[in-house]
Amino acid sequence: MESVIKVTQLSKVFSEITAVSDLSFTVQKGDVYGFLGQNGAGKSTTIRMLLTLITPTSGSIEIFGYDLYKHRKEILRNTGAVIERPDLYKYLTAYETLQLFAKMSGVKLSKANFMDQLELVGLAQRANSKVRTFSQGMKQRLGIAVALVHDPQLIMLDEPTNGLDPQGIADMRNLILMLREKMNKTILVSSHLLSEVEQIANRMLIIDKGKKLVEGTVAELFHPDDTVVYIETNDQVRCEQLLKQSNYADKLMGVDIGGIELKLRKEDVPVLTKLLVENNISVLGITARHSLEDYFLKITTANQHVEPFKN
Ligand SMILES: Nc1ncnc2c1ncn2[C@@H]1O[C@H](COP(=O)(O)OP(=O)(O)OP(=O)(O)O)[C@@H](O)[C@H]1O
């Protein structure tokens, strides 16, 4: 596998705050790499270092196999990024915006090329509308068109769904997937929402307080065997007894006054429900969550000690 980004023992210390600490990870060619962490975890600081907007305190960054600081210009020429809200001129149209940024990057494109770029991000119909009339989602998508104007191989998106409504989030998700599938781009996308990353990324990294917690393929991390089912019944005591005497005994994880927790595949839930009903236990509610979701929830609930995630 060809690595596009290779970060090794990267740290960034701002006077009193260690924003990124000894962070190592690799993004492979063709990845949609989800970079996940709660607010303040160090995502933007890392992305800023990857774009040479700030200098690392220590560690190394290789992009396309070259040292970022020795080959800055060539690397950035092949990298596009949207960090935070894209800086756009509200009195320019979408078309004029692309024209301006193409000129600034020294790229010559025909009218048809510009229209293709706008088509790609779903803005061709609004090519001649001024940016000030755009929704946040449209501005974000125009920001991506700007980032793509010089046809980079690598794209970094810092929280691209922040502040978007559900439709805007879905459009952004589809756009990211299309960039990977149809245009073979490698994409690093940061988010504080596990569910968002799960839907678009093939690999992901979770950081907290600047440190790596978990990294792996989404398929590995979301292994179906690691689903936690929480079941509420009208008779917890009998339910617990029944489960302890059944095939589910080794699946039991915990019991509290509200319900019983089991480690179970989602597809096994109907069989479990049937067993309870046959034994005259009424099921009042069932929720199924992946244990990575539980883990992420614990991280994002401030100041809790969290054991490393084991999948
Ligand atoms: N220029 C700076 N000076 C001092 N501290 C900073 C600076 N930039 C970031 N930090 C601190 O570094 C830590 C990591 O911030 P960072 O913005 O990288 O987090 P994040 O994961 O991107 O979160 P968010 O999504 O909220 O931006 C935070 O504690 C932040 O306050």
Side-chain angles (χ1 to χ4, degrees), residues 29-41:
K29 192 171 185 340
D31 274 348
V32 172
Y33 192 87
F35 188 26
L36 198 67
Q38 62 173 313
N39 292 338

Side-chain angles (χ1 to χ4, degrees), residues 110 158 310:
S110 65
D158 193 9
K310 291 186 192 74

Side-chain angles (χ1 to χ4, degrees), residues 88-104:
L88 301 167
Y89 300 99
K90 49 186 183 186
Y91 292 104
L92 292 185
T93 65
Y95 186 90
E96 289 163 347
T97 303
L98 277 197
Q99 254 184 335
L100 173 75
F101 281 95
K103 203 168 176 189
M104 280 165 36

Side-chain angles (χ1 to χ4, degrees), residues 14-15 17-20 37-46 84 158-159 162 192 207:
F14 293 108
S15 47
I17 295 163
T18 302
V20 175
Q38 62 173 313
N39 292 338
K43 305 178 298 292
S44 302
T45 304
T46 305
E84 287 158 10
D158 193 9
E159 299 261 8
N162 250 8
H192 62 279
I207 64 165

Side-chain angles (χ1 to χ4, degrees), residues 115-211:
M115 289 310 291
D116 284 348
Q117 300 263 15
L118 290 173
E119 181 76 50
L120 190 76
V121 297
L123 288 175
Q125 306 290 327
R126 299 293 300 269
N128 297 315
S129 305
K130 291 206 181 347
V131 169
R132 73 180 161 81
T133 66
F134 283 6
S135 68
Q136 191 53 41
M138 291 162 80
K139 286 184 202 159
Q140 288 288 84
R141 283 185 279 127
L142 183 57
I144 293 188
V146 166
L148 288 171
V149 89
H150 55 298
D151 195 24
Q153 262 184 59
L154 170 64
I155 299 160
M156 298 186 210
L157 304 173
D158 193 9
E159 299 261 8
T161 55
N162 250 8
L164 303 190
D165 60 15
Q167 185 57 49
I169 292 174
D171 291 344
M172 183 58 67
R173 193 186 301 141
N174 291 335
L175 176 57
I176 292 171
L177 289 173
M178 198 262 297
L179 291 176
R180 177 198 185 188
E181 279 155 27
K182 300 227 167 85
M183 300 186 70
N184 301 317
K185 305 288 183 194
T186 301
I187 302 159
L188 174 90
V189 55
S190 78
S191 176
H192 62 279
L193 298 172
L194 180 66
S195 55
E196 271 305 307
V197 166
E198 183 200 349
Q199 289 182 67
I200 52 172
N202 59 310
R203 296 179 60 233
M204 69 172 170
L205 164 71
I206 302 182
I207 64 165
D208 186 44
K209 301 186 185 78
K211 290 198 171 105

